[in-house]
Amino acid sequence: MGETDGPRIAVTRNGPYVVRGGLPIVRRTIVVDEDGESVSWQSGEELPVRESCTVCRCGASDTKPYCDGSHAVIGFDGAETASLEAYENAAVAIEGPRITLMDQVELCADARFCAAKGKAWHLVARDDDAARETVIAESNLCPAGRYTAVEPDGTVHEPALGMQMGLVEDPEAGVSGPLWVQGGVPVTSADGESYPVRNRVTLCRCGKSANKPFCDGTHIEAGFDDGAIRGTETTWW
Ligand code: FES
């Protein structure tokens, strides 16, 4: 399979994401524990696989997750402001005695896995196995790939993820979240430039991110709802 045959995503200027290559689209919900802390993911409905489709990027479509042309009606400004720099260069290293936590803060999608069980950025300073394992686990749960855990010998921990687009739902925060693109699906800008191909990235679908096309967590403040939170989603998909 050539690079142009497989799943791929193209950002369009002030318009939707054009998704090609039969990328599966699946509902993914953040699960919390009794303290309300994000601890795992639950998979939900799988949409019928389409060879190509347009996925809403402005947040205004009545047929979410698909585009219905609303971006033109609302005058959506989808200007891309995100860096094209490789994660390895853009992220800062928080070094601990057992593990290093790499952090590119502007990619934060506010899914809050890193904030559970004592906060990964604090735990990394500890010199014990339990803290090390928690840092690795919480890094791997981060949908945006803001965090990655790296061993002292340079080995990078990454979860095994197949190519998929997740529709993030965050009931604890009462909102829908970004598009969780998994498995190294290439994303190109409206100018045809390539963003770093990564195992996990989150693309904004509320239209409000200041780091487009990536999510920056603003969907929480914006109260974004794709219909799944209030139960008003379209039923045809
Ligand atoms: S979906 Fe997160 S900022 Fe838009």
Side-chain angles (χ1 to χ4, degrees):
M1 185 170 65
E3 187 175 316
T4 56
D5 299 328
R8 55 205 184 278
I9 298 169
V11 179
T12 62
R13 198 172 311 283
N14 300 326
Y17 300 104
V18 176
V19 181
R20 295 191 174 88
L23 185 65
I25 301 178
V26 181
R27 183 101 64 192
R28 301 299 306 274
T29 300
I30 297 171
V31 178
V32 300
D33 64 12
E34 61 277 5
D35 298 320
E37 293 186 328
S38 302
V39 290
S40 63
W41 288 97
Q42 182 178 53
S43 293
E45 312 97 292
E46 298 182 20
L47 278 63
V49 173
R50 300 178 176 188
E51 176 55 30
S52 68
C53 62
T54 52
V55 172
C56 177
R57 187 163 79 93
C58 73
S61 173
D62 285 332
T63 58
K64 297 183 188 72
Y66 301 116
C67 170
D68 71 351
S70 291
H71 55 276
V73 177
I74 67 170
F76 174 55
D77 177 1
E80 293 164 81
T81 53
S83 169
L84 294 164
E85 192 172 11
Y87 175 82
E88 293 72 18
N89 299 331
V92 299
I94 306 171
E95 294 184 9
R98 299 287 190 98
I99 198 83
T100 292
L101 191 59
M102 300 297 293
D103 179 11
Q104 187 175 354
V105 65
E106 61 268 30
L107 296 179
C108 184
D110 211 357
R112 307 179 302 285
F113 291 96
C114 58
K117 301 176 187 171
K119 300 181 173 51
W121 59 91
H122 290 157
L123 295 173
V124 72
R126 279 178 30 188
D127 192 4
D128 63 89
D129 288 343
R132 174 184 174 278
E133 293 304 317
T134 301
V135 169
I136 295 169
E138 293 184 351
S139 299
N140 284 353
L141 286 165
C142 173
R146 166 187 171 176
Y147 286 118
T148 57
V150 182
E151 296 286 352
D153 67 1
T155 302
V156 178
H157 290 274
E158 271 293 333
L161 299 172
M163 285 188 169
Q164 184 182 89
M165 173 179 278
L167 306 174
V168 173
E169 306 296 346
D170 186 352
E172 181 67 14
V175 296
S176 301
L179 302 166
W180 181 12
V181 179
Q182 307 173 16
V185 178
V187 179
T188 54
S189 73
D191 288 333
E193 296 182 285
S194 297
Y195 289 102
V197 176
R198 301 192 62 208
N199 189 33
R200 337 166 236 163
V201 297
T202 45
L203 297 175
C204 176
R205 63 174 175 139
C206 75
K208 307 291 188 191
S209 174
N211 190 42
K212 295 184 182 70
F214 301 111
C215 169
D216 72 352
T218 304
H219 57 269
I220 294 180
E221 180 184 331
F224 176 61
D225 181 5
D226 66 4
I229 298 298
R230 285 190 287 270
T232 57
E233 75 270 36
T234 48
T235 55
W236 51 271
W237 61 268

PDB file of all heavy atoms in Angstrom, residues 65-96:
ATOM      1  N   PRO A  65     -20.523  13.683  13.057  1.00  0.00           N
ATOM      2  CA  PRO A  65     -19.213  14.318  12.886  1.00  0.00           C
ATOM      3  C   PRO A  65     -18.958  14.827  11.471  1.00  0.00           C
ATOM      4  O   PRO A  65     -17.876  15.336  11.207  1.00  0.00           O
ATOM      5  CB  PRO A  65     -18.240  13.185  13.219  1.00  0.00           C
ATOM      6  CG  PRO A  65     -18.951  11.966  12.717  1.00  0.00           C
ATOM      7  CD  PRO A  65     -20.409  12.211  13.044  1.00  0.00           C
ATOM      8  N   TYR A  66     -19.925  14.664  10.590  1.00  0.00           N
ATOM      9  CA  TYR A  66     -19.681  15.044   9.199  1.00  0.00           C
ATOM     10  C   TYR A  66     -19.997  16.523   8.956  1.00  0.00           C
ATOM     11  O   TYR A  66     -20.772  17.143   9.685  1.00  0.00           O
ATOM     12  CB  TYR A  66     -20.504  14.166   8.257  1.00  0.00           C
ATOM     13  CG  TYR A  66     -20.187  12.696   8.421  1.00  0.00           C
ATOM     14  CD1 TYR A  66     -21.155  11.803   8.874  1.00  0.00           C
ATOM     15  CD2 TYR A  66     -18.911  12.206   8.158  1.00  0.00           C
ATOM     16  CE1 TYR A  66     -20.856  10.452   9.049  1.00  0.00           C
ATOM     17  CE2 TYR A  66     -18.603  10.860   8.334  1.00  0.00           C
ATOM     18  CZ  TYR A  66     -19.587   9.993   8.781  1.00  0.00           C
ATOM     19  OH  TYR A  66     -19.281   8.672   8.963  1.00  0.00           O
ATOM     20  N   CYS A  67     -19.407  17.042   7.920  1.00  0.00           N
ATOM     21  CA  CYS A  67     -19.606  18.428   7.503  1.00  0.00           C
ATOM     22  C   CYS A  67     -20.941  18.560   6.771  1.00  0.00           C
ATOM     23  O   CYS A  67     -21.312  17.681   5.992  1.00  0.00           O
ATOM     24  CB  CYS A  67     -18.451  18.826   6.574  1.00  0.00           C
ATOM     25  SG  CYS A  67     -18.657  20.414   5.738  1.00  0.00           S
ATOM     26  N   ASP A  68     -21.649  19.645   7.045  1.00  0.00           N
ATOM     27  CA  ASP A  68     -22.874  19.930   6.292  1.00  0.00           C
ATOM     28  C   ASP A  68     -22.804  21.284   5.593  1.00  0.00           C
ATOM     29  O   ASP A  68     -23.840  21.813   5.171  1.00  0.00           O
ATOM     30  CB  ASP A  68     -24.116  19.854   7.199  1.00  0.00           C
ATOM     31  CG  ASP A  68     -24.190  21.019   8.192  1.00  0.00           C
ATOM     32  OD1 ASP A  68     -23.211  21.794   8.300  1.00  0.00           O
ATOM     33  OD2 ASP A  68     -25.240  21.141   8.862  1.00  0.00           O
ATOM     34  N   GLY A  69     -21.597  21.836   5.522  1.00  0.00           N
ATOM     35  CA  GLY A  69     -21.429  23.122   4.840  1.00  0.00           C
ATOM     36  C   GLY A  69     -21.593  24.324   5.748  1.00  0.00           C
ATOM     37  O   GLY A  69     -21.460  25.472   5.285  1.00  0.00           O
ATOM     38  N   SER A  70     -21.836  24.097   7.047  1.00  0.00           N
ATOM     39  CA  SER A  70     -22.088  25.223   7.963  1.00  0.00           C
ATOM     40  C   SER A  70     -20.899  26.171   8.080  1.00  0.00           C
ATOM     41  O   SER A  70     -21.076  27.348   8.421  1.00  0.00           O
ATOM     42  CB  SER A  70     -22.455  24.707   9.358  1.00  0.00           C
ATOM     43  OG  SER A  70     -23.714  24.084   9.355  1.00  0.00           O
ATOM     44  N   HIS A  71     -19.688  25.676   7.835  1.00  0.00           N
ATOM     45  CA  HIS A  71     -18.501  26.538   7.948  1.00  0.00           C
ATOM     46  C   HIS A  71     -18.639  27.775   7.053  1.00  0.00           C
ATOM     47  O   HIS A  71     -18.191  28.863   7.417  1.00  0.00           O
ATOM     48  CB  HIS A  71     -17.238  25.762   7.593  1.00  0.00           C
ATOM     49  CG  HIS A  71     -17.273  25.120   6.252  1.00  0.00           C
ATOM     50  ND1 HIS A  71     -17.855  23.884   6.035  1.00  0.00           N
ATOM     51  CD2 HIS A  71     -16.819  25.544   5.052  1.00  0.00           C
ATOM     52  CE1 HIS A  71     -17.752  23.582   4.753  1.00  0.00           C
ATOM     53  NE2 HIS A  71     -17.126  24.570   4.130  1.00  0.00           N
ATOM     54  N   ALA A  72     -19.265  27.596   5.904  1.00  0.00           N
ATOM     55  CA  ALA A  72     -19.431  28.736   4.991  1.00  0.00           C
ATOM     56  C   ALA A  72     -20.486  29.701   5.517  1.00  0.00           C
ATOM     57  O   ALA A  72     -20.358  30.925   5.375  1.00  0.00           O
ATOM     58  CB  ALA A  72     -19.813  28.234   3.600  1.00  0.00           C
ATOM     59  N   VAL A  73     -21.510  29.154   6.166  1.00  0.00           N
ATOM     60  CA  VAL A  73     -22.601  29.991   6.694  1.00  0.00           C
ATOM     61  C   VAL A  73     -22.103  30.854   7.847  1.00  0.00           C
ATOM     62  O   VAL A  73     -22.450  32.035   7.950  1.00  0.00           O
ATOM     63  CB  VAL A  73     -23.784  29.100   7.151  1.00  0.00           C
ATOM     64  CG1 VAL A  73     -24.887  29.944   7.780  1.00  0.00           C
ATOM     65  CG2 VAL A  73     -24.316  28.274   5.988  1.00  0.00           C
ATOM     66  N   ILE A  74     -21.280  30.266   8.727  1.00  0.00           N
ATOM     67  CA  ILE A  74     -20.834  31.016   9.917  1.00  0.00           C
ATOM     68  C   ILE A  74     -19.562  31.813   9.657  1.00  0.00           C
ATOM     69  O   ILE A  74     -19.095  32.553  10.526  1.00  0.00           O
ATOM     70  CB  ILE A  74     -20.618  30.085  11.118  1.00  0.00           C
ATOM     71  CG1 ILE A  74     -19.421  29.123  10.877  1.00  0.00           C
ATOM     72  CG2 ILE A  74     -21.889  29.311  11.444  1.00  0.00           C
ATOM     73  CD1 ILE A  74     -19.016  28.344  12.119  1.00  0.00           C
ATOM     74  N   GLY A  75     -18.978  31.677   8.487  1.00  0.00           N
ATOM     75  CA  GLY A  75     -17.740  32.387   8.190  1.00  0.00           C
ATOM     76  C   GLY A  75     -16.581  31.882   9.026  1.00  0.00           C
ATOM     77  O   GLY A  75     -15.790  32.667   9.561  1.00  0.00           O
ATOM     78  N   PHE A  76     -16.472  30.564   9.135  1.00  0.00           N
ATOM     79  CA  PHE A  76     -15.447  29.933   9.983  1.00  0.00           C
ATOM     80  C   PHE A  76     -14.035  30.356   9.583  1.00  0.00           C
ATOM     81  O   PHE A  76     -13.660  30.276   8.412  1.00  0.00           O
ATOM     82  CB  PHE A  76     -15.581  28.407   9.869  1.00  0.00           C
ATOM     83  CG  PHE A  76     -14.511  27.627  10.577  1.00  0.00           C
ATOM     84  CD1 PHE A  76     -14.269  27.827  11.935  1.00  0.00           C
ATOM     85  CD2 PHE A  76     -13.770  26.669   9.896  1.00  0.00           C
ATOM     86  CE1 PHE A  76     -13.286  27.088  12.588  1.00  0.00           C
ATOM     87  CE2 PHE A  76     -12.795  25.928  10.541  1.00  0.00           C
ATOM     88  CZ  PHE A  76     -12.555  26.142  11.888  1.00  0.00           C
ATOM     89  N   ASP A  77     -13.277  30.823  10.585  1.00  0.00           N
ATOM     90  CA  ASP A  77     -11.857  31.123  10.391  1.00  0.00           C
ATOM     91  C   ASP A  77     -11.067  29.925  10.901  1.00  0.00           C
ATOM     92  O   ASP A  77     -10.899  29.758  12.108  1.00  0.00           O
ATOM     93  CB  ASP A  77     -11.468  32.388  11.160  1.00  0.00           C
ATOM     94  CG  ASP A  77      -9.972  32.698  11.043  1.00  0.00           C
ATOM     95  OD1 ASP A  77      -9.248  31.946  10.353  1.00  0.00           O
ATOM     96  OD2 ASP A  77      -9.528  33.691  11.658  1.00  0.00           O
ATOM     97  N   GLY A  78     -10.611  29.109   9.994  1.00  0.00           N
ATOM     98  CA  GLY A  78      -9.888  27.883  10.369  1.00  0.00           C
ATOM     99  C   GLY A  78      -8.395  28.003  10.200  1.00  0.00           C
ATOM    100  O   GLY A  78      -7.707  26.982  10.027  1.00  0.00           O
ATOM    101  N   ALA A  79      -7.881  29.217  10.274  1.00  0.00           N
ATOM    102  CA  ALA A  79      -6.446  29.435  10.041  1.00  0.00           C
ATOM    103  C   ALA A  79      -5.604  28.528  10.936  1.00  0.00           C
ATOM    104  O   ALA A  79      -5.826  28.455  12.146  1.00  0.00           O
ATOM    105  CB  ALA A  79      -6.106  30.895  10.298  1.00  0.00           C
ATOM    106  N   GLU A  80      -4.649  27.880  10.306  1.00  0.00           N
ATOM    107  CA  GLU A  80      -3.784  26.946  11.038  1.00  0.00           C
ATOM    108  C   GLU A  80      -2.607  27.705  11.652  1.00  0.00           C
ATOM    109  O   GLU A  80      -1.907  28.439  10.961  1.00  0.00           O
ATOM    110  CB  GLU A  80      -3.290  25.856  10.097  1.00  0.00           C
ATOM    111  CG  GLU A  80      -4.409  24.958   9.613  1.00  0.00           C
ATOM    112  CD  GLU A  80      -4.010  24.137   8.393  1.00  0.00           C
ATOM    113  OE1 GLU A  80      -3.343  23.113   8.567  1.00  0.00           O
ATOM    114  OE2 GLU A  80      -4.375  24.553   7.274  1.00  0.00           O
ATOM    115  N   THR A  81      -2.415  27.471  12.942  1.00  0.00           N
ATOM    116  CA  THR A  81      -1.358  28.170  13.671  1.00  0.00           C
ATOM    117  C   THR A  81      -0.357  27.212  14.321  1.00  0.00           C
ATOM    118  O   THR A  81       0.612  27.660  14.930  1.00  0.00           O
ATOM    119  CB  THR A  81      -1.974  29.048  14.775  1.00  0.00           C
ATOM    120  OG1 THR A  81      -2.846  28.233  15.574  1.00  0.00           O
ATOM    121  CG2 THR A  81      -2.781  30.193  14.181  1.00  0.00           C
ATOM    122  N   ALA A  82      -0.609  25.915  14.197  1.00  0.00           N
ATOM    123  CA  ALA A  82       0.244  24.933  14.868  1.00  0.00           C
ATOM    124  C   ALA A  82       1.612  24.825  14.199  1.00  0.00           C
ATOM    125  O   ALA A  82       1.762  25.061  13.000  1.00  0.00           O
ATOM    126  CB  ALA A  82      -0.439  23.569  14.871  1.00  0.00           C
ATOM    127  N   SER A  83       2.597  24.444  15.002  1.00  0.00           N
ATOM    128  CA  SER A  83       3.944  24.234  14.505  1.00  0.00           C
ATOM    129  C   SER A  83       4.026  22.953  13.680  1.00  0.00           C
ATOM    130  O   SER A  83       3.323  21.983  13.943  1.00  0.00           O
ATOM    131  CB  SER A  83       4.904  24.137  15.704  1.00  0.00           C
ATOM    132  OG  SER A  83       6.172  23.680  15.289  1.00  0.00           O
ATOM    133  N   LEU A  84       4.911  22.981  12.698  1.00  0.00           N
ATOM    134  CA  LEU A  84       5.200  21.781  11.896  1.00  0.00           C
ATOM    135  C   LEU A  84       6.437  21.056  12.434  1.00  0.00           C
ATOM    136  O   LEU A  84       6.876  20.054  11.868  1.00  0.00           O
ATOM    137  CB  LEU A  84       5.439  22.167  10.438  1.00  0.00           C
ATOM    138  CG  LEU A  84       4.238  22.745   9.682  1.00  0.00           C
ATOM    139  CD1 LEU A  84       4.692  23.435   8.411  1.00  0.00           C
ATOM    140  CD2 LEU A  84       3.225  21.651   9.360  1.00  0.00           C
ATOM    141  N   GLU A  85       6.984  21.568  13.521  1.00  0.00           N
ATOM    142  CA  GLU A  85       8.229  21.023  14.067  1.00  0.00           C
ATOM    143  C   GLU A  85       8.005  19.625  14.647  1.00  0.00           C
ATOM    144  O   GLU A  85       6.949  19.321  15.217  1.00  0.00           O
ATOM    145  CB  GLU A  85       8.739  21.956  15.169  1.00  0.00           C
ATOM    146  CG  GLU A  85      10.154  21.661  15.620  1.00  0.00           C
ATOM    147  CD  GLU A  85      10.665  22.731  16.577  1.00  0.00           C
ATOM    148  OE1 GLU A  85       9.857  23.563  17.048  1.00  0.00           O
ATOM    149  OE2 GLU A  85      11.882  22.708  16.852  1.00  0.00           O
ATOM    150  N   ALA A  86       9.000  18.783  14.525  1.00  0.00           N
ATOM    151  CA  ALA A  86       8.928  17.430  15.068  1.00  0.00           C
ATOM    152  C   ALA A  86       8.775  17.473  16.583  1.00  0.00           C
ATOM    153  O   ALA A  86       9.386  18.316  17.256  1.00  0.00           O
ATOM    154  CB  ALA A  86      10.184  16.651  14.699  1.00  0.00           C
ATOM    155  N   TYR A  87       7.977  16.548  17.103  1.00  0.00           N
ATOM    156  CA  TYR A  87       7.736  16.475  18.547  1.00  0.00           C
ATOM    157  C   TYR A  87       9.049  16.388  19.319  1.00  0.00           C
ATOM    158  O   TYR A  87       9.217  17.049  20.351  1.00  0.00           O
ATOM    159  CB  TYR A  87       6.859  15.256  18.840  1.00  0.00           C
ATOM    160  CG  TYR A  87       6.633  14.994  20.307  1.00  0.00           C
ATOM    161  CD1 TYR A  87       5.659  15.701  21.015  1.00  0.00           C
ATOM    162  CD2 TYR A  87       7.375  14.031  20.994  1.00  0.00           C
ATOM    163  CE1 TYR A  87       5.438  15.461  22.366  1.00  0.00           C
ATOM    164  CE2 TYR A  87       7.167  13.786  22.340  1.00  0.00           C
ATOM    165  CZ  TYR A  87       6.193  14.508  23.024  1.00  0.00           C
ATOM    166  OH  TYR A  87       5.991  14.261  24.368  1.00  0.00           O
ATOM    167  N   GLU A  88       9.966  15.602  18.842  1.00  0.00           N
ATOM    168  CA  GLU A  88      11.226  15.394  19.550  1.00  0.00           C
ATOM    169  C   GLU A  88      11.986  16.712  19.729  1.00  0.00           C
ATOM    170  O   GLU A  88      12.752  16.857  20.691  1.00  0.00           O
ATOM    171  CB  GLU A  88      12.108  14.399  18.788  1.00  0.00           C
ATOM    172  CG  GLU A  88      11.564  12.977  18.733  1.00  0.00           C
ATOM    173  CD  GLU A  88      10.346  12.818  17.820  1.00  0.00           C
ATOM    174  OE1 GLU A  88      10.104  13.709  16.964  1.00  0.00           O
ATOM    175  OE2 GLU A  88       9.619  11.821  17.976  1.00  0.00           O
ATOM    176  N   ASN A  89      11.775  17.644  18.836  1.00  0.00           N
ATOM    177  CA  ASN A  89      12.441  18.943  18.948  1.00  0.00           C
ATOM    178  C   ASN A  89      11.617  19.956  19.739  1.00  0.00           C
ATOM    179  O   ASN A  89      12.169  20.817  20.428  1.00  0.00           O
ATOM    180  CB  ASN A  89      12.727  19.510  17.554  1.00  0.00           C
ATOM    181  CG  ASN A  89      13.649  18.621  16.752  1.00  0.00           C
ATOM    182  OD1 ASN A  89      14.489  17.914  17.313  1.00  0.00           O
ATOM    183  ND2 ASN A  89      13.502  18.642  15.433  1.00  0.00           N
ATOM    184  N   ALA A  90      10.298  19.845  19.616  1.00  0.00           N
ATOM    185  CA  ALA A  90       9.429  20.845  20.242  1.00  0.00           C
ATOM    186  C   ALA A  90       9.158  20.553  21.713  1.00  0.00           C
ATOM    187  O   ALA A  90       8.889  21.474  22.489  1.00  0.00           O
ATOM    188  CB  ALA A  90       8.109  20.922  19.479  1.00  0.00           C
ATOM    189  N   ALA A  91       9.214  19.290  22.110  1.00  0.00           N
ATOM    190  CA  ALA A  91       8.881  18.924  23.491  1.00  0.00           C
ATOM    191  C   ALA A  91      10.040  19.222  24.431  1.00  0.00           C
ATOM    192  O   ALA A  91      11.214  19.199  24.024  1.00  0.00           O
ATOM    193  CB  ALA A  91       8.530  17.433  23.554  1.00  0.00           C
ATOM    194  N   VAL A  92       9.693  19.521  25.689  1.00  0.00           N
ATOM    195  CA  VAL A  92      10.719  19.696  26.716  1.00  0.00           C
ATOM    196  C   VAL A  92      10.806  18.403  27.527  1.00  0.00           C
ATOM    197  O   VAL A  92       9.822  17.667  27.655  1.00  0.00           O
ATOM    198  CB  VAL A  92      10.412  20.882  27.653  1.00  0.00           C
ATOM    199  CG1 VAL A  92      10.355  22.181  26.874  1.00  0.00           C
ATOM    200  CG2 VAL A  92       9.111  20.663  28.411  1.00  0.00           C
ATOM    201  N   ALA A  93      11.961  18.146  28.077  1.00  0.00           N
ATOM    202  CA  ALA A  93      12.188  16.926  28.845  1.00  0.00           C
ATOM    203  C   ALA A  93      12.118  17.222  30.335  1.00  0.00           C
ATOM    204  O   ALA A  93      12.816  18.109  30.834  1.00  0.00           O
ATOM    205  CB  ALA A  93      13.539  16.325  28.484  1.00  0.00           C
ATOM    206  N   ILE A  94      11.249  16.485  31.034  1.00  0.00           N
ATOM    207  CA  ILE A  94      11.203  16.546  32.498  1.00  0.00           C
ATOM    208  C   ILE A  94      11.892  15.277  32.977  1.00  0.00           C
ATOM    209  O   ILE A  94      11.325  14.178  32.932  1.00  0.00           O
ATOM    210  CB  ILE A  94       9.745  16.613  33.008  1.00  0.00           C
ATOM    211  CG1 ILE A  94       8.997  17.769  32.339  1.00  0.00           C
ATOM    212  CG2 ILE A  94       9.728  16.764  34.524  1.00  0.00           C
ATOM    213  CD1 ILE A  94       7.498  17.761  32.620  1.00  0.00           C
ATOM    214  N   GLU A  95      13.122  15.401  33.395  1.00  0.00           N
ATOM    215  CA  GLU A  95      13.930  14.220  33.687  1.00  0.00           C
ATOM    216  C   GLU A  95      13.774  13.781  35.135  1.00  0.00           C
ATOM    217  O   GLU A  95      13.850  14.584  36.063  1.00  0.00           O
ATOM    218  CB  GLU A  95      15.397  14.513  33.373  1.00  0.00           C
ATOM    219  CG  GLU A  95      15.641  14.748  31.886  1.00  0.00           C
ATOM    220  CD  GLU A  95      17.103  14.953  31.559  1.00  0.00           C
ATOM    221  OE1 GLU A  95      17.946  14.751  32.463  1.00  0.00           O
ATOM    222  OE2 GLU A  95      17.396  15.322  30.415  1.00  0.00           O
ATOM    223  N   GLY A  96      13.550  12.482  35.312  1.00  0.00           N
ATOM    224  CA  GLY A  96      13.492  11.903  36.642  1.00  0.00           C
ATOM    225  C   GLY A  96      14.514  10.804  36.770  1.00  0.00           C
ATOM    226  O   GLY A  96      15.176  10.440  35.783  1.00  0.00           O
TER     227      GLY A  96
END
